[in-house]
């Protein structure tokens, strides 16, 4: 096997078929001849006579055999490496460390990634102990620039991928920090080394937490980074400000002294830099300040000051507002020249930061912003001034006092509406965005009698303008409908009903575009969906006409599937079908019982669509969601479609690698609600598939909580008919309730939380479904109580409204099932009383949750007093 030639073909051959064949050969070798394959790649990487691109691909190829985004695949790869012969591993490590010293920066870059991938496996196992010392040695000031750069790059990658809570990794923090700070210091003559070191520092900040907690080391780190903000090179300055933002994010609690002595002045000066990157990163620093202070406020409100006394806000944003706010407002005029240039600009960064300042400091942003708006909104000669004024106004609508905002919007709305016809696209786009913000955040400032008609006229104008304007106008209409017509389906008419006749046809026309430039077509479909969802009963004729149009469009796309040739056309058609299906789903839900007359036609079309799809097509999810809507609308009458639909449902449930599988599981739950006991002839087969998926260790883990919740829904729907499955499902729940995180990543912690919430859903469903059969539940009450105690002690679960409602409701349900006090001792446990009491008194919980907790308390008293 000529690995050099195959790698070259895979990357550089102009013939697409030869590239594909080379890729196939590499994949086949990796799967079937792994040891030989990585040996050949190692040789290719070591071959200094080979082309740069070939050596790079060899390095990346080796790295890709060690790490993957998919956790299951990554674990398999790690175990495969661990079981590899020591001599083979040593050869790869020796080759990579030697290649890291190459003068070819591109090869060194790919090798740095390979070194990090190996380190990610070996360092937590106390293996490859010489790695960090060698890399540190390679960063010393007397080493060649290429060696220092590559070594710092490797450190950055290692810190980026490894677990910062692993004690074996953290033990290397001192050496890592010394190497990085050496590279960042101003006496380092090479710009590229300083840049690489700064980036490595950003990645290492979580690892060096113990160093950062020591004042002397912290002072030195901050001094070095602050000095870098004053470097002669703008790229270095930008990276340094980015590093300060990351430090602020992780170590806000230590920042007071540095803000006072240096950071206020440095960052305001940086914001005024003529260099776009420097100004953007300096603004990002203040955005981070606001985000941290908002998070502290939120946590203090949620958990109470006593729970986390270390959560202290120093109000950095408020202290600096007199310097920062005028700078931000001025920066709003530094927009991109081309209105279709969506690259991140200083003006965009400033607008985003201003929104955070408004949320963080409230009324303190109002006066200076209004002065800026008044001075610029009427500037007839400079579009930048007009656009900046509208951007500023729209950016302060979330945070300040609503009463004050209502008054201000009442005064400013008319001048802003006039600008929807401005000659500048920048201005019109921002006006439409600003109107959307008003509708979303302060809709009560829009006087229905005085403002609504002129607002809608402006939006109609904008809908027929440039796609960027029409997209924002669609968003504004959606916000208006959600805010003004939330109970529309329960009302004969709504405040928006008189305008359906005008606006819906314009949206229908806009949604019929052949392209989706700036998401304008998709936005039109979303807006139409919102008009459907919040329609009053007097708009049903318009909704029915819309249904006919949408059905015709969907039917025409089925014929188009055979005609698409290019992958771009195929993607465009699939996107269009997804938009149509989403709108149709909402129409079906809104028309509800009226759908029964068209259900045969709908199901015929959906089954045709399913039949026409290639395996794992994304659109399958949307078809399943639409079918769920039909089932909800037709109820038990859906039974007549089950025979034809079951093969598609079964196939989706068994295809556990596809995202459609999750949707299919949800659809089983929906079908059980719609069909009730009529689902029983199909239930055993469906339960067998779901059970097999749970028992399959290869199944992606995010499917498990969905299946557990589905079991609860089925139990609720079929009642006592669930008894044959009770023991099997309960044993799964008992096992799943004891799950613990395998690592400390947020992804894993969220997964464990999802599993436990799904166990709770399942328990609630089964107890509710078997309410009239208490003896079927009796054997499982003890483990259910053990689980509920865990929920009560889990701060994340017990402070989540829906979880607390379900958990206290379950306590009440079990108490009501056993009125003779069979579980009196369980209800006398102090944690039960404490949990119910906390739920009843939680200020942020909904009234229904508090009412559920009160009912649970009543059931508890009855148990205790029996």
């Amino acid at each position: 096997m000529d690995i050099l030639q195959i790698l070259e073909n895979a990357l550089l051959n102009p013939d697409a078929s030869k590239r594909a064949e080379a890729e196939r050969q590499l994949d086949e070798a990796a799967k079937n001849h792994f040891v030989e394959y990585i040996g050949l790649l190692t040789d290719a990487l070591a071959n200094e006579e080979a082309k740069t691109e070939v050596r790079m691909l060899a390095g990346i190829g080796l790295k890709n055999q060690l790490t993957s985004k998919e956790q299951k695949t990554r674990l398999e790869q790690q175990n495969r490496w661990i079981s590899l012969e020591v001599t083979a591993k040593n050869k790869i490590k020796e080759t990579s460390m030697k290649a890291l010293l190459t003068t070819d920066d591109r090869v060194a870059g790919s090798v740095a990634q390979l070194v990090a991938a190996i380190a990610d496996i070996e360092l937590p196992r106390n293996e490859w102990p010489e790695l960090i010392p060698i890399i540190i040695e390679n960063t010393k000031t007397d080493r060649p620039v290429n060696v220092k750069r590559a070594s710092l790059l490797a450190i950055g990658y290692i810190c980026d991928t490894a677990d910062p809570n692993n004690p074996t990794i953290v033990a290397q923090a001192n050496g890592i920090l010394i190497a990085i700070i050496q590279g960042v210091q101003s006496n380092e003559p090479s710009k590229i080394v300083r840049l690489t070191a700064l980036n490595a520092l950003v990645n290492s900040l979580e690892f060096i937490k113990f160093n950062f907690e020591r004042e002397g080391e912290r002072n030195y780190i901050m001094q070095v980074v602050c000095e870098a903000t004053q470097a002669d090179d703008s790229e270095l300055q930008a990276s340094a400000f980015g590093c300060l933002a990351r430090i602020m994010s992780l170590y806000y609690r230590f920042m007071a002294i540095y803000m006072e002595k240096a950071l206020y002045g440095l960052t305001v000066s940086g914001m005024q830099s003529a260099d776009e990157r420097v100004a953007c990163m300096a603004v990002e620093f203040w955005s981070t300040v606001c985000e941290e202070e908002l998070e502290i406020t939120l946590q203090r409100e949620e958990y109470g000051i006593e729970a986390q006394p270390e959560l202290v806000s120093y109000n950095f944003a408020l202290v600096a507002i007199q310097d920062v706010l005028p700078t931000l407002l001025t920066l709003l005029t530094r927009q991109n020249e081309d209105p279709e240039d969506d690259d991140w600009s200083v003006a965009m960064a400033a607008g985003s930061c201003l929104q955070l300042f408004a949320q963080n400091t409230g009324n303190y942003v109002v006066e200076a912003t209004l002065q800026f708006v008044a001075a610029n909104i009427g500037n007839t000669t400079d579009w930048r001034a007009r656009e900046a004024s509208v951007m500023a106004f729209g950016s302060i609508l979330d945070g300040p006092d609503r009463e004050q905002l209502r008054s201000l919007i009442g005064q400013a709305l008319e001048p802003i509406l006039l600008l929807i016809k401005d000659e500048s696209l920048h201005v019109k786009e921002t006006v439409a965005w600003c109107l959307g913000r008003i509708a979303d955040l302060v809709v009560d400032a829009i006087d229905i009698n005085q403002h609504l008609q002129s607002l809608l006229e402006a939006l109609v104008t904008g809908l027929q303008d440039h796609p960027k304007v029409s997209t924002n106008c669609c968003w504004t209409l959606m916000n208006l409908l959600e805010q003004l017509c939330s109970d529309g389906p329960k009302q004969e008419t709504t405040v928006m009903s008189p305008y359906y006749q005008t606006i819906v046809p314009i949206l229908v026309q806009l949604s019929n575009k052949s392209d989706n430039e700036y998401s304008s077509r998709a936005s039109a479909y979303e807006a139409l969906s919102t008009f459907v969802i919040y329609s009053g009963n007097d708009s049903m004729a318009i909704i029915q006409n819309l249904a006919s149009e949408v059905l015709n469009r969907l039917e025409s796309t089925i014929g188009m599937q055979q005609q698409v040739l290019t992958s771009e056309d195929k993607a465009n058609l699939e996107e269009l079908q997804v938009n149509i299906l989403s709108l149709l789903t909402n129409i079906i839900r809104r028309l509800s019982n009226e759908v029964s007359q068209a259900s045969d036609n709908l199901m015929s079309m959906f089954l045709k669509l399913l039949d026409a799809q290639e395996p794992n097509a994304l659109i399958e999810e949307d078809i399943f969601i639409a079918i769920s809507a039909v089932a909800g609308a037709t109820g038990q009458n859906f039974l007549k479609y089950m025979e034809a639909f079951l093969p598609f449902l079964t196939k989706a449930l068994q295809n556990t690698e596809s995202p459609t599988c999750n949707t299919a599981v949800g659809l089983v739950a929906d079908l059980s609600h719609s069909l009730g006991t009529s689902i029983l002839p199909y239930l055993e087969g469906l339960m067998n598939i779901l059970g097999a998926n749970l028992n399959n260790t290869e199944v992606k883990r995010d499917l498990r909580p969905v299946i557990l919740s589905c079991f609860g829904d089925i139990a609720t729907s079929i009642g006592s008919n669930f008894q044959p499955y009770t023991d099997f499902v309960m044993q799964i729940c008992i096992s799943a309730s004891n799950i613990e995180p395998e690592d400390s990543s947020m992804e894993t912690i969220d997964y464990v939380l999802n599993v436990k919430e799904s166990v709770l859903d399942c328990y609630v469903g089964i107890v509710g479904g078997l309410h009239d059969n208490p003896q079927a539940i009796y054997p499982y009450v003890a483990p259910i109580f053990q689980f509920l105690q865990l929920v009560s002690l889990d701060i994340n679960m017990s402070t989540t409204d829906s979880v607390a409602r379900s958990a206290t409701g379950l306590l009440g349900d079990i108490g009501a099932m056993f009125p003779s006090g069979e579980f009196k001792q369980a209800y006398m446990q102090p944690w039960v009383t404490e949990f119910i009491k906390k739920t009843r008194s939680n200020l942020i919980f909904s009234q229904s949750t508090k009412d559920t907790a009160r009912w649970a308390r009543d059931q508890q008293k009855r148990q205790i007093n029996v």
Side-chain angles (χ1 to χ4, degrees):
M1 185 179 189
D2 186 349
I3 191 68
L4 295 179
Q5 188 60 56
I6 293 173
L7 288 168
E8 186 172 338
N9 283 343
L11 197 64
L12 301 174
N13 200 302
D15 186 334
S17 63
K18 288 186 177 177
R19 287 200 306 275
E21 172 59 20
E23 288 168 7
R24 187 199 63 75
Q25 287 178 282
L26 291 172
D27 287 342
E28 193 272 337
K31 286 175 185 171
N32 301 322
H33 309 283
F34 174 69
V35 176
E36 294 87 341
Y37 174 64
I38 60 171
L40 290 170
L41 288 180
T42 306
D43 291 341
L45 179 61
N47 189 339
E48 296 181 1
E49 303 300 317
K51 289 182 179 179
T52 293
E53 292 83 0
V54 169
R55 296 183 71 196
M56 284 173 62
L57 189 55
I60 294 300
L62 282 166
K63 186 266 294 185
N64 290 343
Q65 293 304 313
L66 302 178
T67 185
S68 168
K69 290 180 181 177
E70 281 285 323
Q71 188 193 31
K72 183 164 77 74
T73 306
R74 187 166 65 247
L75 286 172
E76 289 171 356
Q77 290 172 325
Q78 289 175 353
N79 289 331
R80 186 172 62 181
W81 172 265
I82 291 165
S83 62
L84 198 63
E85 283 188 9
V86 173
T87 52
K89 288 192 282 192
N90 285 343
K91 182 181 177 183
I92 294 171
K93 289 190 284 189
E94 288 164 11
T95 300
S96 49
M97 292 308 289
K98 184 180 177 185
L100 197 63
L101 308 180
T102 179
T103 54
D104 190 322
D105 284 348
R106 291 194 294 165
V107 172
S110 65
V111 173
Q113 294 179 57
L114 170 59
V115 168
I118 300 171
D120 199 29
I121 302 172
E122 296 212 339
L123 292 185
R125 294 168 52 83
N126 274 321
E127 296 173 351
W128 209 4
E130 67 273 20
L131 171 65
I132 299 298
I134 290 172
I135 289 182
I136 293 169
E137 185 69 23
N138 285 343
T139 61
K140 288 190 173 176
T141 51
D142 59 344
R143 294 296 189 270
V145 167
N146 65 292
V147 173
K148 288 188 285 188
R149 174 192 169 273
S151 301
L152 287 165
L153 206 55
I155 288 175
Y157 288 136
I158 290 169
C159 293
D160 189 37
T161 56
D163 180 3
N165 296 312
N166 186 297
T168 311
I169 307 286
V170 174
Q172 307 281 357
N174 286 338
I176 287 172
L177 184 59
I178 290 167
I180 290 172
I181 294 299
Q182 251 174 199
V184 176
Q185 289 179 117
S186 54
N187 61 4
E188 167 56 56
S190 167
K191 168 196 159 182
I192 192 66
V193 169
R194 291 189 74 188
L195 262 179
T196 309
L198 270 170
N199 292 333
L201 179 57
V202 170
N203 287 339
S204 72
L205 283 169
E206 288 183 78
F207 284 90
I208 61 169
K209 54 192 171 191
F210 297 120
N211 303 82
F212 213 89
E213 285 170 1
R214 293 191 279 269
E215 186 179 358
E217 293 184 51
R218 183 170 68 246
N219 287 342
Y220 192 57
I221 294 167
M222 292 301 295
Q223 178 189 331
V224 168
V225 179
C226 287
E227 285 174 357
T229 67
Q230 304 304 295
D232 294 334
D233 182 83
S234 60
E235 202 173 350
L236 274 171
Q237 291 176 25
S239 290
F241 281 120
C243 187
L244 287 176
R246 181 66 177 148
I247 289 171
M248 178 60 73
S249 171
L250 292 170
Y251 301 112
Y252 175 93
R253 64 191 185 279
F254 295 124
M255 288 296 107
I257 186 71
Y258 308 108
M259 290 295 283
E260 183 184 336
K261 290 191 171 182
L263 298 183
Y264 282 125
L266 287 176
T267 52
V268 171
S269 173
M271 289 163 70
Q272 296 165 344
S273 169
D275 186 276
E276 289 274 310
R277 291 167 302 176
V278 175
C280 279
M281 294 314 298
V283 170
E284 178 65 24
F285 172 84
W286 282 103
S287 293
T288 305
V289 169
C290 291
E291 286 167 349
E292 289 305 305
E293 294 184 347
L294 284 166
E295 181 62 26
I296 289 169
T297 302
L298 182 69
Q299 289 198 29
R300 285 166 70 99
E301 287 173 359
E302 191 168 343
Y303 302 123
I305 299 172
E306 301 80 14
Q308 293 179 289
E310 74 280 3
L311 280 177
V312 177
S313 175
Y314 296 107
N315 298 312
F316 294 142
L318 187 57
V319 170
I321 198 166
Q322 289 187 331
D323 294 317
V324 176
L325 183 55
T327 307
L328 286 174
L329 292 168
T330 303
L331 293 179
L332 290 174
T333 62
R334 285 174 58 176
Q335 306 96 328
N336 292 330
E337 185 68 39
D338 182 355
E340 298 195 5
D341 180 0
D342 290 325
D343 288 347
W344 191 247
S345 66
V346 176
M348 291 177 186
S352 176
C353 188
L354 181 56
Q355 290 175 45
L356 290 166
F357 254 87
Q359 292 173 39
N360 192 17
T361 64
N363 291 343
Y364 290 97
V365 300
V366 173
E367 186 178 348
T369 304
L370 287 183
Q371 289 173 0
F372 179 81
V373 173
N376 290 282
I377 197 166
N379 190 325
T380 56
T381 59
D382 186 1
W383 68 263
R384 292 182 184 276
R386 295 194 301 278
E387 193 275 341
S389 67
V390 179
M391 174 61 76
F393 191 82
S395 296
I396 64 164
L397 298 178
D398 184 14
D401 178 67
R402 287 181 69 86
E403 201 61 50
Q404 186 176 8
L405 286 173
R406 278 198 291 270
S407 170
L408 297 173
I409 291 167
Q411 298 167 41
L413 191 56
E414 289 304 325
I416 290 173
L417 290 176
L418 291 173
L419 292 176
I420 199 68
K421 296 180 180 177
D422 198 273
E423 61 189 24
S424 163
L425 175 54
H426 286 93
V427 175
K428 289 184 287 188
E429 181 190 0
T430 303
V431 165
W433 168 82
C434 181
L435 295 175
R437 293 267 295 175
I438 293 170
D440 183 31
L441 299 167
V442 207
V443 74
D444 47 343
I446 300 170
D447 187 295
I448 303 299
N449 299 317
Q450 184 183 346
H451 297 138
L452 186 59
Q453 184 167 345
S454 57
L455 170 58
L456 291 172
E457 285 171 357
L459 293 175
V460 166
T461 300
L463 284 174
Q464 298 166 88
D465 206 308
H466 189 280
K468 296 187 87 166
V469 181
S470 71
T471 296
N472 281 343
C473 286
C474 286
W475 177 61
T476 304
L477 286 167
M478 290 158 64
N479 289 337
L480 281 172
L481 286 155
E482 288 171 11
Q483 300 287 344
L484 297 177
C485 311
S486 57
D487 58 351
K490 299 175 185 174
Q491 304 297 324
E492 188 56 37
T493 189
T494 72
V495 294
M496 290 292 284
S497 289
Y499 306 101
Y500 270 57
Q501 202 90 34
T502 304
I503 299 175
V504 169
I506 294 171
L507 289 171
V508 168
Q509 184 180 355
L510 184 57
S511 66
N512 205 27
K513 291 172 58 176
S514 59
D515 64 76
N516 188 30
E517 193 179 8
Y518 294 105
S519 301
S520 55
R521 184 178 66 192
S523 296
Y525 272 107
E526 285 183 62
L528 283 168
S529 280
T530 314
F531 269 90
V532 170
I533 292 167
Y534 298 104
S535 56
N537 293 332
D538 59 347
S539 300
M540 284 301 95
I542 295 172
I543 305 305
Q544 286 165 345
N545 289 338
L546 180 60
S548 301
E549 170 68 22
V550 174
L551 273 173
N552 290 335
R553 288 189 188 181
L554 185 59
E555 196 156 17
S556 69
T557 66
I558 295 175
M560 291 163 63
Q561 285 191 183
Q562 308 305 319
Q563 300 166 18
V564 292
L565 299 173
T566 68
S567 57
E568 186 179 343
D569 287 343
K570 183 185 173 186
N572 188 42
L573 177 61
E574 192 168 74
E575 181 183 50
L576 175 61
Q577 288 178 324
V578 167
N579 292 153
I580 294 172
L581 281 165
S582 179
L583 173 54
L584 187 54
T585 300
N586 286 307
I587 291 172
I588 293 167
R589 288 172 179 158
R590 182 66 184 91
L591 293 177
S592 192
N593 297 336
E594 298 175 44
V595 168
S596 55
Q597 298 173 2
S599 61
D600 287 355
N601 187 21
L602 285 166
M603 283 304 297
S604 171
M605 203 175 302
F606 294 153
L607 293 173
K608 266 190 208 172
L609 262 177
L610 283 171
D611 205 31
Q613 299 311 312
E614 294 178 2
N616 298 327
L618 291 176
I619 193 177
E620 281 183 345
E621 289 186 75
D622 299 275
I623 302 170
F624 274 38
I625 292 167
I627 289 172
S628 170
V630 173
T634 57
Q636 295 212 356
N637 290 327
F638 189 84
L639 190 62
K640 62 182 176 179
Y641 308 118
M642 280 299 291
E643 288 297 330
F645 175 53
L646 190 62
F648 295 105
L649 179 59
T650 302
K651 182 181 173 186
L653 289 171
Q654 291 172 332
N655 187 7
T656 54
E657 291 302 309
S658 169
T660 306
C661 186
N662 292 45
T663 309
V665 175
L667 180 51
V668 171
D670 294 341
L671 288 173
S672 69
H673 285 309
S674 298
L675 295 173
T677 54
S678 296
I679 200 175
L680 289 177
Y682 307 98
L683 189 60
E684 185 174 355
L686 294 171
M687 288 292 289
N688 285 340
I689 297 171
L690 293 173
N693 286 348
L694 272 181
N695 290 327
N696 184 352
T697 55
E698 300 297 309
V699 164
K700 56 184 181 180
R701 67 182 188 178
D702 67 327
L703 190 60
R704 299 178 189 281
V706 184
I707 294 175
L708 286 171
S709 292
C710 178
F711 285 154
D713 288 321
I714 293 170
T716 301
S717 302
I718 65 172
S720 60
N721 292 289
F722 193 78
Q723 281 194 63
Y725 310 106
T726 302
D727 187 61
F728 166 71
V729 174
M730 281 297 200
Q731 294 304 328
I732 290 172
C733 284
I734 292 166
S735 173
S737 66
N738 295 314
I739 187 173
E740 293 294 336
E742 296 171 353
D743 55 61
S744 59
S745 68
M746 286 304 298
E747 183 186 25
T748 299
I749 291 168
D750 284 345
Y751 167 70
V752 169
L753 196 59
N754 283 338
V755 169
K756 290 185 176 179
E757 287 182 13
S758 298
V759 168
L760 179 59
D761 291 340
C762 193
Y763 279 149
V764 168
I766 294 173
V767 169
L770 299 178
H771 195 271
D772 296 329
N773 303 82
Q775 290 314 305
I777 294 297
Y778 188 95
Y780 309 106
V781 171
I784 290 174
F785 263 75
Q786 288 171 7
F787 174 67
L788 289 174
Q789 184 175 11
L790 290 176
V791 171
S792 72
L793 297 172
D794 187 311
I795 191 165
N796 286 315
M797 296 186 78
S798 63
T799 55
T800 300
D801 185 271
S802 59
V803 173
R805 182 167 61 250
S806 294
T808 52
L810 186 53
L811 284 168
D813 284 340
I814 294 172
M817 284 178 83
F818 299 96
S820 303
E822 289 93 329
F823 295 100
K824 179 176 180 176
Q825 293 303 315
Y827 281 93
M828 289 178 69
Q829 295 176 91
W831 72 262
V832 177
T833 305
E834 183 66 20
F835 179 44
I836 293 173
K837 181 182 175 183
K838 277 188 175 180
T839 303
R840 284 172 59 189
S841 60
N842 191 307
L843 297 175
I844 65 170
F845 280 175
S846 64
Q847 190 57 48
S848 64
T849 298
K850 294 175 184 176
D851 290 344
T852 301
R854 286 190 185 92
W855 177 76
R857 175 61 176 156
D858 291 341
Q859 298 304 318
Q860 182 197 26
K861 285 179 181 175
R862 287 180 186 174
Q863 285 282 324
I864 292 173
N865 294 329
V866 169

